[in-house]
Amino acid sequence: QVVAVYGTLSDLLSVASSKLGIKATSVYNGKGGLIDDIALIRDDDVLFVCEGEPFIDPQTDSKPPEGLLGSHTDWLTLNVGGRYFTTTRSTLVNKEPDSMLAHMFKDKGVWGNKQDHRGAFLIDRSPEYFEPILNYLRHGQLIVNDGINLLGVLEEARFFGIDSLIEHLEVAIKNSQPPEDHSPISRKEFVRFLLATPTKSELRCQGLNFSGADLSRLDLRYINFKMANLSRCNLAHANLCCANLERADLSGSVLDCANLQGVKMLCSNAEGASLKLCNFEDPSGLKANLEGANLKGVDMEGSQMTGINLRVATLKNAKLKNCNLRGATLAGTDLENCDLSGCDLQEANLRGSNVKGAIFEEMLTPLHMSQSVR
């Protein structure tokens, strides 16, 4: 075909593609020299275009001459996952001589017959992620097109052993991550979240930061607050029925008059919190579990805690005046210096508990020493 040569090399490739019905990617002169600038074309040149395969002189042979793929011109073609890349052996070897990719192309005979019908070296990897690696080996810059997953490029760089590129990619991935937001969740944000969630859906708020938030009088039933930060929160009159507060931080919070029926507070930290007039008593028999909780200095005066599990909890210096602890499990509980005056401890299990300095004046039920308190 006779093709007019004008404009840029890209213009020439576009016209040749249209004329010849192929996707032209490379232009060679009659001697097999790769042309990368249209200014290198002379008026009497006969040009050959191809889709990326190595140059074959049609006047001499229909097959690539022995050793043409790299030994004479240093140019070679890779078939990476079905996509062709034309480059030089020195590009693949020189920048990262200790990489797996360099070892693959240092010796001519290492590939054997692992070439396709065009003579391109077959590599069963993703072409999308290989392209940034090849460009990096060409000019030393990490350039990744929009929409390319950096993690995919990183995996390919690790596969081919391009160590210096791995460092660039790890930095780029770290910089692309949004900064972590550790600011507390406000009441407004949480209420919006509650309203947008179906009532039958399980709300999982594990590890979230609600520090200092006003969550008073909200319906928080069955919500999973495991390991959440609820320190200094206002939870007065909130409905926390069957909520999971395991290992949550409730230090300094106000839970006065809250509904805590069936609540799970295993190993939670409620040191210095106020739980006055709270209701832990579930008529259906579901018992609140505060086993191992840190309740130092809490004020639980007047709370209903029938059947509550406070085994091995720490209640040192707590105010439990006029609490209903009937049938409560207090085995191994630290009640040192607690004010238990006016409490109902009928059928409570105090085995092994520490009641040193505790006040039991005006108890509704006498404390039986047979319960092995210490």
Side-chain angles (χ1 to χ4, degrees), residues 134-148:
L134 181 58
N135 286 332
Y136 174 77
L137 294 175
R138 284 168 170 161
H139 47 62
Q141 299 294 321
L142 173 60
I143 300 174
V144 181
N145 294 332
D146 292 339
I148 303 296

Side-chain angles (χ1 to χ4, degrees), residues 29-30 46-48 55-63:
N29 61 25
V46 175
L47 305 178
F48 296 87
F55 174 77
I56 299 174
D57 188 348
Q59 303 300 323
T60 58
D61 195 354
S62 61
K63 296 181 180 179

